[in-house]
Amino acid sequence: MAKKPDLLPGTLDLLILKTLTRAPQHGYGIALSIKQSSQDFLTVEEGSLYPALQRLLLQGWVKAEWKKTETNRRARYYTLTPTGRKQLGVELSQFEQMIAAIGRVLQDA
Amino acid sequence: MDSLVRFSRKLWIFVRREKFNSELEEEMAFHREHAEKQLRAEGLPAQAAQHAARKQFGSAMRLREQSHDMVGFRFESVLQDFRFAIRNLRKNPGFTATATLMLALGMCASVAIFAFVDAALLKPLPYRDPAGLVAVFEKTSGFPHSNLSYPDYLDWKKQNTVFSSLDIFHRTGFILTTPSGAQPARGARVSDGFFRTLGVTPVLGRGFRSRRRFAFRTANRTAELRHLAAALWWKGRCTGADRGPQW
């Protein structure tokens, strides 16, 4: 298996929040969605996904509830909260600034 | 405000940590199952798919710990570390004994030094107004703390305007006649107001009457003095300070 590049630090929260804007998802759904949206380029390590979800819960940016899946199994679904949506905006603009700044540095070189 | 909310959420998780852990486990099992299904759908044999899913997921234990780090309290990990330390200490009795001994010695040394410093420097002297007590000396060239002659003392006392009282003492030794023979006794000759100036009262008997100098000369005084000296001396004996009268 080819070694996938690591996520940029600090971007996992952003990706999770963004994924949740589409629909409430369970942990596996979030991982899958990120993988598919990035055309298999980004794999979220489960070892970082669940701690990140706990962190987001703790911040109050997402909330979790147990629901039935289509296959009638119990799964914990994560939903974006209004503060989470606000936070997504903040993180997005920070991320864009960061990318723009890196881009400028690389262009000069 | 935010931190307060976070804290209460943490507290809530802590209170229901059994439920929290089982929920996390269920969630991860769900994840593993789906990952496995996905891999099987991609054409991996069942056994291999299971293995790959497990591998991808990483150690469940480690994952739980990471999640716990995120939501747990600092004191929980402190408690864990503490238990770990105890276990390790029990495993290495030699190290434990040495470390304990070192700590004990260190503490004893500090306590001893502090006790000395406390008694010598920090604790006030056992007199009525220790901060107000000063010693004054005669000064001659080459001998800054020299003895004072009695006439000079009388002059100082007469001309004194800064001290509320001025008294003198002279350290000396006596021979004490006791039933078991003559014994040396350390003592001091003092002026009549000495005890009043210090603000102490004798253990037995009474102090000197005021305004009567040369008290040593009168027979009456001598008897009284002997009484006083004996009282002080016996006190010293009884408290184990076997050094004759002390003051």
Side-chain angles (χ1 to χ4, degrees):
Chain A
M1 203 195 283
K3 178 91 177 72
K4 294 267 174 60
D6 284 339
L7 275 179
L8 271 176
T11 50
L12 182 58
D13 288 7
L14 177 65
L15 294 181
I16 294 173
L17 291 175
K18 180 69 191 169
T19 306
L20 289 178
T21 53
R22 293 180 205 126
Q25 280 280 21
H26 45 68
Y28 177 69
I30 293 170
L32 201 66
S33 171
I34 290 175
K35 195 175 172 200
Q36 282 167 356
S37 312
S38 68
Q39 293 169 351
D40 282 358
F41 189 74
L42 298 175
T43 19
V44 180
E45 289 287 325
E46 290 83 353
S48 36
L49 174 65
Y50 286 93
L53 282 171
Q54 300 303 339
R55 190 171 58 230
L56 296 180
L57 274 174
L58 212 56
Q59 303 281 3
W61 294 338
V62 301
K63 58 181 199 277
E65 53 188 334
W66 289 92
K67 278 197 230 163
K68 294 272 185 224
T69 66
E70 310 90 73
T71 52
N72 213 21
R73 287 250 346 232
R74 215 166 83 100
R76 181 140 63 172
Y77 278 80
Y78 294 88
T79 317
L80 204 61
T81 60
T83 35
R85 203 171 286 276
K86 220 181 289 167
Q87 181 62 24
L88 174 62
V90 173
E91 301 227 346
L92 253 178
S93 71
Q94 273 174 0
F95 179 72
E96 274 157 12
Q97 279 171 8
M98 169 74 81
I99 290 296
I102 290 174
R104 280 197 294 279
V105 171
L106 293 184
Q107 241 167 21
D108 279 357
Chain B
M1 188 61 214
D2 257 14
S3 57
L4 203 69
V5 172
R6 258 204 304 283
F7 179 79
S8 58
R9 281 200 188 107
K10 267 193 183 189
L11 202 65
W12 181 236
I13 289 171
F14 179 72
V15 170
R16 309 183 325 146
R17 59 193 176 285
E18 289 297 317
K19 190 164 158 56
F20 174 81
N21 281 336
S22 71
E23 281 186 345
L24 193 64
E25 205 136 324
E26 187 178 341
E27 198 173 18
M28 292 191 304
F30 177 86
H31 191 115
R32 208 151 40 217
E33 243 169 70
H34 276 75
E36 201 181 307
K37 218 183 282 172
Q38 175 75 21
L39 287 168
R40 253 205 315 269
E42 286 169 12
L44 234 63
Q47 194 81 41
Q50 196 182 31
H51 188 72
R54 288 246 169 95
K55 208 170 94 183
Q56 208 184 49
F57 206 81
S59 149
M61 194 58 177
R62 225 187 57 145
L63 205 64
R64 244 201 334 269
E65 271 170 17
Q66 277 169 346
S67 274
H68 192 263
D69 279 352
M70 204 56 73
V71 297
F73 282 105
R74 182 72 48 80
F75 79 84
E76 284 182 275
S77 52
V78 168
L79 215 65
Q80 269 175 0
D81 289 349
F82 187 70
R83 275 195 223 109
F84 178 68
I86 296 282
R87 271 206 306 279
N88 265 336
L89 286 178
R90 208 179 280 162
K91 236 174 22 195
N92 303 314
F95 170 77
T96 309
T98 315
T100 313
L101 194 70
M102 286 300 134
L103 281 174
L105 284 177
M107 281 181 217
C108 286
S110 329
V111 167
I113 290 170
F114 177 74
F116 172 74
V117 169
D118 184 46
L121 302 174
L122 300 179
K123 256 198 214 135
L125 295 167
Y127 304 124
R128 191 178 45 214
D129 181 17
L133 279 178
V134 291
V136 288
F137 296 89
E138 178 70 281
K139 188 175 163 190
T140 60
S141 61
F143 198 39
H145 287 180
S146 114
N147 288 335
L148 181 66
S149 74
Y150 188 67
D152 275 345
Y153 161 63
L154 293 180
D155 286 344
W156 283 18
K157 199 167 165 106
K158 212 181 293 166
Q159 290 161 22
N160 164 39
T161 52
V162 285
F163 302 117
S164 55
S165 61
L166 192 66
D167 280 281
I168 45 168
F169 69 94
H170 177 238
R171 275 167 178 274
T172 179
F174 301 96
I175 304 292
L176 220 59
T177 320
T178 68
S180 54
Q183 286 205 5
R186 292 200 323 180
R189 297 169 65 196
V190 301
S191 54
D192 56 359
F194 188 74
F195 295 114
R196 241 171 295 122
T197 298
L198 288 183
V200 294
T201 47
V203 187
L204 267 178
R206 53 186 171 78
F208 308 120
R209 280 194 202 99
S210 57
R211 298 284 155 223
R212 269 235 246 152
R213 285 175 205 120
F214 312 114
F216 293 94
R217 290 202 189 138
T218 67
N220 216 359
R221 276 285 120 180
T222 313
E224 242 174 58
L225 266 183
R226 226 181 242 153
H227 194 87
L228 185 68
L232 287 164
W233 180 64
W234 278 114
K235 195 200 167 218
R237 278 290 145 97
C238 291
T239 52
D242 197 4
R243 289 174 298 186
Q246 295 281 309
W247 56 75

